[in-house]
Amino acid sequence: MAGKEGTIIILDCNKSMADKYLNTDMTKLDFGKESIHHLIRQKLLFTAKKDQVGIILKGCQPDEEEEREGIHIFKELDFPSINLLNELNDITVSDNNQNCDIFDSIDVAIDTFVDTYKKLKWAKKILLITDGEAECKATASRIEKIADKLNENDIKVNIIAVDFFSELDEDDEEESEEYDVKMKEGDKESSNQIDTKNALKKLVDKKKKKEW
């Protein structure tokens, strides 16, 4: 199975994702879906028979079988298809902010990889798309446990930060390219957003330190 990669995309669907993206007519959710659309198109063109993609929606009505509130498995891990591109149109912003912590959705993605690939030697990556507005309740120990779980299962984390800066230390500039932490203009003064942003930064920092 060498050379094969599985990617689980976590898309934030909280109410704030209905806000305009920067100075465009596009919403933050539109931007997120366009990012997913681009990734799937690339895989269809170049690695359709090698790579798999799954999609988890965070901040929406949960699946009946998923005990954690606000998490919906929109697409199980599978090879990408044209139909999946069309199905992205069905994704909408949640009517109300579900009480879902961002780290719960990451945990679900990790478990999905473990249950699906077991001992198979697939490269594994989580792509998180969020505006950082939803409340984050993760403690330092919780972040540490998630970082450990990611490293134990050899899972990389990429973050697309929609409409806020992901502040990285200058010394971490090279490592930031590997994690694909994309910095977007429009940082807002929001206590919830800052909490989430810092929590995600700590996760990336802890994961990198543990890898070394």
Side-chain angles (χ1 to χ4, degrees):
M1 292 283 183
K4 297 193 174 187
E5 180 182 81
T7 300
I8 294 180
I9 303 162
I10 300 173
L11 177 61
D12 195 337
C13 294
N14 278 292
K15 287 179 68 175
S16 59
M17 291 291 283
D19 295 343
K20 294 296 183 184
Y21 174 65
L22 298 179
N23 296 318
T24 70
D25 292 330
M26 180 185 293
T27 67
K28 295 176 185 178
L29 186 70
D30 290 336
F31 172 79
K33 291 198 291 185
E34 182 57 35
S35 299
I36 298 172
H37 205 280
H38 175 75
L39 181 147
I40 294 172
R41 286 200 308 267
Q42 292 298 306
K43 290 190 177 295
L44 284 171
L45 284 171
F46 303 111
T47 58
K49 296 182 179 180
K50 291 175 54 179
D51 295 351
Q52 293 188 332
V53 176
I55 299 175
I56 293 174
L57 304 184
K58 176 240 174 230
C60 58
Q61 294 296 327
D63 293 328
E64 291 182 2
E65 63 271 19
E66 178 52 60
E67 296 180 357
R68 280 169 278 204
E69 185 178 1
I71 296 176
H72 170 59
I73 309 298
F74 182 79
K75 181 67 176 178
E76 298 282 358
L77 271 169
D78 202 351
F79 296 103
S81 66
I82 295 294
N83 287 338
L84 179 55
L85 290 176
N86 296 328
E87 290 169 4
L88 292 177
N89 296 324
D90 296 333
I91 299 175
T92 59
V93 170
S94 175
D95 291 335
N96 52 21
N97 284 336
Q98 297 292 317
N99 185 26
C100 168
D101 189 277
I102 198 110
F103 288 91
D104 284 343
S105 57
I106 295 173
D107 204 15
V108 170
I110 296 171
D111 290 343
T112 299
F113 274 131
V114 173
D115 292 342
T116 303
Y117 293 151
K118 303 185 187 303
K119 299 293 185 180
L120 296 177
K121 299 298 183 181
W122 283 63
K124 300 176 288 291
K125 181 170 67 177
I126 293 173
L127 175 61
L128 173 61
I129 305 173
T130 179
D131 64 353
E133 291 279 3
E135 183 179 3
C136 179
K137 299 180 180 179
T139 61
S141 61
R142 168 73 164 154
I143 296 172
E144 183 101 21
K145 287 178 181 178
I146 291 292
D148 286 339
K149 199 171 179 180
L150 287 165
N151 286 328
E152 287 167 6
N153 293 286
D154 196 21
I155 301 171
K156 292 183 178 180
V157 178
N158 294 357
I159 302 172
I160 295 182
V162 182
D163 205 8
F164 71 87
F165 282 107
S166 226
E167 299 169 2
L168 297 171
D169 295 334
E170 291 181 3
D171 292 341
D172 292 336
E173 188 172 353
E174 290 185 5
E175 287 87 350
S176 71
E177 294 180 5
E178 176 185 352
Y179 287 93
D180 194 24
V181 179
K182 299 186 178 180
M183 297 183 292
K184 300 297 178 183
E185 303 236 355
D187 200 7
K188 298 180 179 178
E189 294 295 331
S190 165
S191 59
N192 286 342
Q193 181 183 25
I194 292 171
D195 288 345
T196 299
K197 178 173 64 175
N198 286 340
L200 290 172
K201 182 181 183 297
K202 286 179 182 178
L203 175 68
V204 174
D205 288 345
K206 286 181 180 293
K207 188 177 187 307
K208 287 190 287 187
K209 288 177 182 177
K210 290 175 182 293
E211 284 178 343
W212 287 101

